[in-house]
Amino acid sequence: MKLLITIFLMINLYANEEYPRFSIIKTGTAKSLEGLIYEEGSLFKTMMVNHAGFLIQHQGKTILFETGLGEEVDYQFKNDMSWWAKPLFAYKKEQSIKKQLNNKYTIESIILSHAHWDHASGLRDFPNAKVIISKEEEHEVKHPVANRTFPTQFKDVKTQSFQWKKESYLNFKKHYDYFGDGTLILIPLFGHTHGSLGLILNSKNKKYFFVGDAIWTTRQLGPIQNKAAISSILVDTDKDLTRKKIDKIKKMQDRGYIIIPTHDYYLHNKLGLYPKWID
């Protein structure tokens, strides 16, 4: 009987490891006018914004996609954000990913959709993790734009890039299969920054597409619309290219993918926050 129970548990464990799972970790919030988030938003209504990271487990490994607001965010913000921009990008800090995990998991690697401050703030909280960005995004780290990428966050942090496979994946011309089994695919979403990337997660029952800041809210997909004009000027490297990526994201939604922007407060709450796991 003990042997049968052991075999059953091993089979169940293997089945669970066959597909990835993820958890949304909220590290802070902000409040803004809708009209500063997306084109058709109202200037008379407010909406909440999340600062989040995504914990992913697969093949016995634990990785992060984004880091949210880290332990040192107040220092980073004070030193690297211009005085005039501080009110525009003010945040309400909650517990960092490091504090919430409390050493429960060993983070093997951190994948950034891009190098902006509200995505990379927690890098220094995990000094032993590999930090992965696209080759194109190295430009953002080496030549930081004021109020977008913070030099303090990359101090003593070594980033690694990967080689895109120049074969199409769905409606994208190139991709990178992170685990090599088709469950976690990195794809280019250039526009918001030089080397922004998205992450496709194919789980057992559903398909997810983490899109970083290509859009801030899924409201931008119905109807398709850019970020608010003034906000796009402040944060997007190439507005026209970003718009083309929104069209691609909409096509992914039409294919059945659940679109997850990094800052979508309402979607994150709907899906559920850490310690809840989603598969």
Side-chain angles (χ1 to χ4, degrees):
M1 179 61 70
K2 288 184 178 180
L3 179 59
L4 290 175
I5 292 174
T6 301
I7 293 173
F8 173 79
L9 291 175
M10 290 180 66
I11 292 174
N12 189 56
L13 178 63
Y14 176 79
N16 289 335
E17 283 294 309
E18 188 176 354
Y19 295 95
R21 65 176 187 167
F22 71 93
S23 185
I24 304 170
I25 307 181
K26 180 172 69 170
T27 63
T29 59
K31 182 182 288 187
S32 178
L33 295 174
E34 285 183 357
L36 294 177
I37 300 295
Y38 58 102
E39 283 180 329
E40 296 188 8
S42 171
L43 290 173
F44 302 98
K45 294 181 180 179
T46 61
M47 64 183 296
M48 296 298 295
V49 173
N50 256 2
H51 292 294
F54 306 91
L55 193 68
I56 300 172
Q57 287 190 326
H58 186 48
Q59 293 186 356
K61 298 178 181 179
T62 304
I63 66 174
L64 276 177
F65 181 64
E66 321 282 44
T67 71
L69 304 182
E71 288 288 284
E72 300 175 359
V73 66
D74 292 337
Y75 167 79
Q76 296 161 353
F77 193 80
K78 178 181 179 181
N79 281 269
D80 289 340
M81 185 68 79
S82 300
W83 65 269
W84 61 266
K86 283 181 172 131
L88 297 174
F89 296 103
Y91 56 86
K92 181 179 179 182
K93 182 182 176 182
E94 298 187 18
Q95 283 192 331
S96 68
I97 291 177
K98 177 183 178 180
K99 190 163 290 185
Q100 291 188 57
L101 296 184
N102 194 28
N103 295 317
K104 187 175 182 179
Y105 305 104
T106 298
I107 305 300
E108 183 208 46
S109 59
I110 299 170
I111 303 172
L112 293 181
S113 66
H114 62 292
H116 283 180
W117 70 275
D118 48 342
H119 298 251
S121 176
L123 290 180
R124 289 167 52 82
D125 294 343
F126 301 96
N128 296 320
K130 294 184 294 185
V131 178
I132 299 170
I133 57 176
S134 71
K135 185 72 174 178
E136 295 82 357
E137 190 66 5
E138 291 177 356
H139 181 276
E140 302 287 337
V141 177
K142 295 176 181 177
H143 307 283
V145 177
N147 305 319
R148 296 184 186 180
T149 302
F150 288 0
T152 52
Q153 294 178 346
F154 289 90
K155 184 180 180 181
D156 301 324
V157 172
K158 292 183 179 181
T159 61
Q160 300 179 26
S161 59
F162 52 87
Q163 187 69 41
W164 292 108
K165 186 174 184 179
K166 295 182 180 180
E167 293 182 6
S168 61
Y169 185 87
L170 300 178
N171 56 324
F172 298 95
K173 292 182 179 179
K174 53 187 177 181
H175 69 283
Y176 178 73
D177 188 338
Y178 186 82
F179 284 111
D181 63 359
T183 59
L184 196 155
I185 308 294
L186 305 183
I187 54 88
L189 284 178
F190 308 158
H192 178 60
T193 64
H194 287 86
S196 291
L197 60 79
L199 185 153
I200 292 171
L201 190 149
N202 296 309
S203 70
K204 183 176 182 179
N205 300 310
K206 295 181 180 180
K207 302 177 291 185
Y208 301 90
F209 188 16
F210 299 84
V211 298
D213 282 5
I215 58 175
W216 281 340
T217 169
T218 50
R219 297 181 192 182
Q220 290 176 248
L221 299 177
I224 294 177
Q225 54 192 294
N226 291 324
K227 299 182 183 78
I230 184 63
S231 298
S232 182
I233 290 171
L234 291 173
V235 303
D236 288 332
T237 296
D238 188 324
K239 182 176 180 178
D240 292 336
L241 189 56
T242 301
R243 174 52 187 260
K244 292 178 181 178
K245 295 305 185 294
I246 298 175
D247 292 335
K248 285 182 175 287
I249 291 168
K250 175 57 178 174
K251 289 179 181 178
M252 291 291 284
Q253 185 182 59
D254 293 341
R255 285 175 175 263
Y257 280 83
I258 297 171
I259 308 302
I260 305 182
T262 296
H263 296 296
D264 197 324
Y265 174 94
Y266 303 98
L267 176 65
H268 296 174
N269 284 353
K270 181 180 178 181
L271 292 173
L273 303 174
Y274 180 81
K276 177 184 176 181
W277 286 96
I278 302 167
D279 50 23

